[in-house]
Amino acid sequence: MIRIVRRAGLPQASTTSSGGGALHEVNSVRAIFFNEVATRDGFQIEPAFVPTDTKVALIDVLSECGYAKIEVTSFASPKAIPMLRDAEEVMGRIRRVPGVEYTVLVPNLRGAERALEARADELNLVMSTSETHNLANLRMPMAHSFAALSEVIKMVDGRTPINVSLSCGFGCPMEGKVAQEKVLDWVSHFADLGVRGVTVCDTTGMAHPAQVSRMVEALQQGFDQLQLTLHFHNTRGMGLANVLAAVQGGITRFDGSLGGLGGCPYAPGASGNISSEDAIHMLDAMGYDTGMDLQKLLAVARHMPHIVGHEVPGQVAKAGRITDLHAVPAEVDEMGRQFA
Ligand code: COA
Ligand code: ZN
């Protein structure tokens, strides 16, 4: 997740002109908060198991990069998500840096008990807003998921903050369009149960920026008491455009995945999340305060292909930041002198 928060006492940044929609740089008047999900959304779909030692070392270095949250792992059934079967060990071994929240995905009561036992800072409950995807991913109808998650919220009883991630909130790869009202209804049900936050997830990259703007407006109108987060996948190349639409609408929190890894194994056609470093680079360049150490983050991102054993989609780790210039070729330098 990436988080953004408006700082009290400072004027709100304007990223659009009132008339033509032109973009302007901003003067760091907002903080943007990122939740890193590579070790959960990213690793859950990798073909090869990432060794526990590697996961722990990666999370420890990410903890030093400025994230507000890290989604460490998932307390799903190890049969459903075998790549994260070492959740207890990872949670037990990471070094917890003050100021970083260590959150975990939880699909049911059994998962919540395991998460509490592991001393997670937040439980990120999950259900889909598409009946078909909920059946595929969680093996139960949405109503059963809601009943199970309501039980979790009752059992936790305020001891640990709860976020709810709503999958397929912008479309389902099997059902197609998911009505915004239906998504807002689910948000409302969970808000009534007193959760701290809700994440609307574009599980297979079906959202487009105009749709995101509409969703953001409705979310902020109806649920400004909630910590609102958006979770985009770049499956159709619209990921950063969607981030921008959300930021312009005032959203301050996002999920992102280092290298652009990610995907739900039970959503046909799923591919990677927005790359955290690409999103942070874009927002930094525009003048947003992301609180991230981008240089350190890029060094970690460059290591991701070694960790997963294949190329990753993230672009800035390959191209360098816009401020990382190349040496002038000698012949161009010489021409410059001749024409001086
Ligand atoms: N942690 C560990 N084990 C769990 C568990 C959990 N959270 N939930 C269920 N189990 C175990 C049960 O104890 C049972 O074990 P057994 O076969 O040894 O008796 C087995 O899993 C089946 O339990 P059941 O309640 O019948 O679950 P299910 O097979 O219907 O699966 C879910 C339901 C929700 C547990 C499973 O689909 C799941 O974990 N999905 C998560 C998917 C996901 O994370 N997707 C990516 C993120 S969007
Ligand atoms: Zn996802």
Side-chain angles (χ1 to χ4, degrees), residues 3 69 122 163 196-198 225-229 253:
R3 297 189 310 173
K69 269 189 208 180
E122 180 193 78
N163 188 76
R196 178 177 67 168
V198 168
Q225 80 280 19
L226 291 179
Q227 206 180 72
L228 294 170
T229 302
R253 297 164 188 274

Side-chain angles (χ1 to χ4, degrees), residues 40-41 44 74-81 84 88 105-112 114 126 133-140 145 167 203 263-266:
R40 198 281 297 169
D41 207 331
Q44 73 183 7
S74 168
F75 286 104
S77 154
K79 283 183 196 136
I81 307 288
L84 304 180
E88 270 85 1
L105 197 82
V106 166
N108 60 7
L109 197 57
R110 172 87 191 92
R114 293 171 62 205
V126 62
H133 179 247
N134 210 70
L135 286 167
N137 192 37
L138 300 165
R139 301 166 56 83
M140 60 186 110
S145 271
S167 313
T203 307
C264 173
Y266 301 102

Side-chain angles (χ1 to χ4, degrees), residues 37 40-42 44 71 167 201-204 231-233 255 261-264 271-273:
V37 302
R40 198 281 297 169
D41 207 331
Q44 73 183 7
E71 190 168 46
S167 313
C201 303
D202 183 23
T203 307
T204 59
H231 173 112
F232 293 119
H233 283 255
D255 290 353
L261 299 178
C264 173
S271 69
N273 292 68

Side-chain angles (χ1 to χ4, degrees), residues 20 87 126 129 186 256 263 288 325:
V126 62
T129 55
W186 285 116
Y288 286 97
L325 304 183

